[in-house]
Amino acid sequence: MNIETKFLGEVEINELDILTFEYGLPGFPLLKQFVLLPIEQDMPLALLQAVEQAEIGFIVAYPFAFKKDYAFDLSEDDKEDLQIMDTEDVVTYVIVTLKDALSTSTMNLMAPVVINIKMKLAKQIVLQASDAYPLRHPIGVMEGSAK
């Protein structure tokens, strides 16, 4: 199927790649279907695009590429919501606020987007220890692995 996107125009997606956010995203509780689209092959960035609404799309980053010591624990409720049985099925992204230069852009480490890639379930989680990670962490330069 084809969808309109905020940054990439019309793209073809596989319906099997649609992620379900049972609770929507903070600020967008009614949008429950998103797709993750690559932006550039060599960059750990992607577009998290709402399937139902073209103007809702977020640039997301693989946080471990920019902050290799980034870590948090999922609550049992979050694991249950995402039906996580194996941590190998989990991928984490964070929403990026783009500036003129990528190096001055920031990423929201306080509220990661956690995806069970096997079940196609996702959730943006607000970390309870909010002082551990800021809402606007400078991206800076890549320091970790994008794998």
Side-chain angles (χ1 to χ4, degrees), residues 74-88:
L74 289 173
S75 71
E76 290 303 316
D77 289 343
D78 292 333
K79 290 177 186 176
E80 185 176 320
D81 287 345
L82 294 168
Q83 300 179 22
I84 295 172
M85 304 300 247
D86 186 343
T87 57
E88 294 292 318

Side-chain angles (χ1 to χ4, degrees), residues 3-69:
I3 64 169
E4 287 292 327
T5 69
K6 181 174 181 177
F7 298 109
L8 304 173
E10 183 176 314
V11 298
E12 183 176 353
I13 64 166
N14 184 332
E15 292 182 45
L16 297 175
D17 293 334
I18 294 174
L19 303 170
T20 299
F21 286 73
E22 184 179 349
Y23 305 106
L25 287 172
F28 305 96
L30 300 179
L31 293 176
K32 300 192 186 289
Q33 292 188 319
F34 286 80
V35 65
L36 203 53
L37 301 169
I39 295 176
E40 282 191 41
Q41 195 167 17
D42 296 336
M43 291 295 294
L45 301 173
L47 171 61
L48 182 64
Q49 174 65 49
V51 173
E52 305 103 336
Q53 204 166 335
E55 62 273 13
I56 305 298
F58 304 94
I59 301 298
V60 293
Y62 183 71
F64 311 103
F66 300 98
K67 184 162 179 48
K68 62 183 176 184
D69 62 344

Side-chain angles (χ1 to χ4, degrees), residues 114-135:
V114 180
I115 302 168
N116 179 338
I117 208 71
K118 183 177 179 182
M119 301 301 292
K120 305 296 184 197
L121 296 172
K123 184 176 185 181
Q124 187 173 21
I125 297 167
V126 178
L127 300 178
Q128 296 307 309
S130 60
D131 56 336
Y133 293 112
L135 184 64

